[in-house]
Amino acid sequence: LPRGGRQPIEEAIRAFCAEEKLDGADCWGCPRCERRVRAKKRLSLWKLPLLLLVHLKRFGFEASTTSSAWDMAPRAWKIEGEVVVPLQRLDLQGFVAETSPQRVPLQYDLFAAVDHVGSSPSVGHYTAACRRPDGWWRFDDARTEFLGAPTEEAAARRVLGEGNYMLLFQRRDAPPEPELVREQSHKQPENWPHVLGDGC
């Protein structure tokens, strides 16, 4: 995203899932012939969770072009554009593969946003905006600030913006209490997202 640019989150997801050509230094290592070959790669979403964390790529890195051993650190910069997201009813149904077993409506509501305030990956400060029953609140170390009612447009403008680093969503059919969301672990494979079960 260019500085000051805006792009809907749906466009970012399409770009993330777009087909890529792997050639040159990025050739794929074929396990059958054990050679590096040209190939195409595409990511598909198979099954989406009740709680979805979207981590935005906010920092760019580029290898150093100098040959000096003292200047080996990559050049880094902050990507400052706004990913446009609705506070309610983000519909991700169209991004799941047609052959996916998941058949529940995939509509999500934003419940938190983590912001990075600063100019680079090594300099900055993190804050969070969280939706509570009484509205949106900003948490900044020991300070809290009421941002507005849950559906208030002015609050949305204070929650969403160029500083967003992580966005946290809850699927609309998720249990209302966090403790009712089944924990995923190696001891409970029935709760893994790719296993069919209740609430697919």
Side-chain angles (χ1 to χ4, degrees):
L1 285 172
R3 175 176 271 169
R6 291 173 50 102
Q7 183 178 37
I9 193 167
E10 294 87 352
E11 287 301 314
I13 296 169
R14 269 189 213 81
F16 179 75
C17 295
E19 186 175 273
E20 275 182 77
K21 291 182 181 178
L22 303 176
D23 59 8
D26 294 328
C27 278
W28 178 62
C30 176
R32 215 173 333 179
C33 68
E34 297 182 1
R35 293 185 7 221
R36 308 276 296 164
V37 296
R38 287 185 297 182
K40 292 179 182 175
K41 169 182 99 165
R42 180 166 191 230
L43 297 174
S44 294
L45 302 179
W46 183 250
K47 192 172 177 192
L48 298 179
L50 292 172
L51 303 176
L52 177 68
L53 183 142
V54 177
H55 182 230
L56 302 174
K57 181 179 177 185
R58 281 295 181 197
F59 305 107
F61 297 91
E62 186 174 75
S64 176
T65 56
T66 64
S67 58
S68 166
W70 300 104
D71 193 21
M72 293 297 286
R75 185 175 79 83
W77 64 93
K78 186 168 182 183
I79 299 170
E80 296 185 272
E82 182 179 351
V83 176
V84 180
V85 177
L87 288 181
Q88 296 181 320
R89 299 188 191 282
L90 171 63
D91 189 354
L92 298 178
Q93 194 73 48
F95 293 101
V96 174
E98 289 180 20
T99 54
S100 167
Q102 191 167 37
R103 295 291 170 247
V104 297
L106 297 174
Q107 290 195 345
Y108 287 84
D109 295 336
L110 187 74
F111 70 87
V114 177
D115 290 349
H116 176 268
V117 181
S119 58
S120 77
S122 57
V123 175
H125 178 71
Y126 293 91
T127 65
C130 301
R131 189 187 72 224
R132 297 173 39 96
D134 60 342
W136 285 94
W137 287 82
R138 165 104 36 227
F139 297 92
D140 184 353
D141 291 338
R143 293 183 304 273
T144 60
E145 175 189 5
F146 182 68
L147 301 177
T151 57
E152 200 174 283
E153 193 172 316
R157 286 194 301 272
R158 298 183 72 192
V159 170
L160 300 168
E162 289 190 0
N164 294 149
Y165 183 65
M166 287 193 281
L167 301 169
L168 292 89
F169 295 92
Q170 181 175 0
R171 207 166 68 202
R172 292 187 78 89
D173 67 330
E177 300 299 325
E179 56 272 4
L180 297 177
V181 176
R182 295 182 299 177
E183 181 180 350
Q184 298 173 21
S185 74
H186 68 284
K187 293 179 182 177
Q188 297 172 304
E190 66 277 8
N191 294 340
W192 295 351
H194 63 279
V195 175
L196 289 177
D198 297 338
C200 286

